[in-house]
Amino acid sequence: MFVGYPNWWYDMPMAMYSFFDEYDLSNKTIITFNTSGGSAFSDTINTIKKLEPNANVIEGITIRAEDVESSQNEINEWLNDLGYNI
Ligand SMILES: Cc1cc2nc3c(=O)[nH]c(=O)nc-3n(C[C@H](O)[C@H](O)[C@H](O)COP(=O)(O)O)c2cc1C
């Protein structure tokens, strides 16, 4: 599954913690993506690994907020590299 979130205070928004509390994603692959003002993922990948210890957590693409509108090609390439034909 794809899970995306903005970086808030070098972390995920609290709603993401609620999401990972609510669902047991054991044996799932979690492909992350994120936007930020420049802090990228910070330590959120490790945080998700702790919250979902039996999931396969993959660090995906991170985009700066100011670059979102011009990032379509980069995102398509990322998805193509993952095996999705965009
Ligand atoms: C409460 C709050 C805290 C933020 N903290 C950070 C931060 O620590 N590092 C960072 O790079 N960007 C930070 N940002 C910028 C957001 O990551 C950025 O605005 C967001 O990824 C853009 O997505 P949006 O258009 O959905 O807000 C913060 C934004 C908000 C609203």
Side-chain angles (χ1 to χ4, degrees), residues 17-64:
Y17 283 81
S18 301
F19 175 80
F20 290 119
D21 276 350
E22 180 78 17
Y23 297 101
D24 176 4
L25 300 178
S26 295
N27 306 315
K28 306 283 188 209
T29 294
I30 301 171
I31 302 173
T32 61
F33 61 98
N34 141 298
T35 57
S36 80
S39 306
F41 284 103
S42 295
D43 202 34
T44 59
I45 304 300
N46 284 328
T47 301
I48 296 171
K49 284 179 179 171
K50 283 181 194 144
L51 294 169
E52 298 291 345
N54 298 314
N56 175 27
V57 183
I58 293 175
E59 181 173 327
I61 199 168
T62 182
I63 308 274
R64 288 178 74 111

Side-chain angles (χ1 to χ4, degrees), residues 6-11 35-40 65:
N7 185 317
W8 279 8
W9 308 124
Y10 307 101
D11 205 340
T35 57
S36 80
S39 306

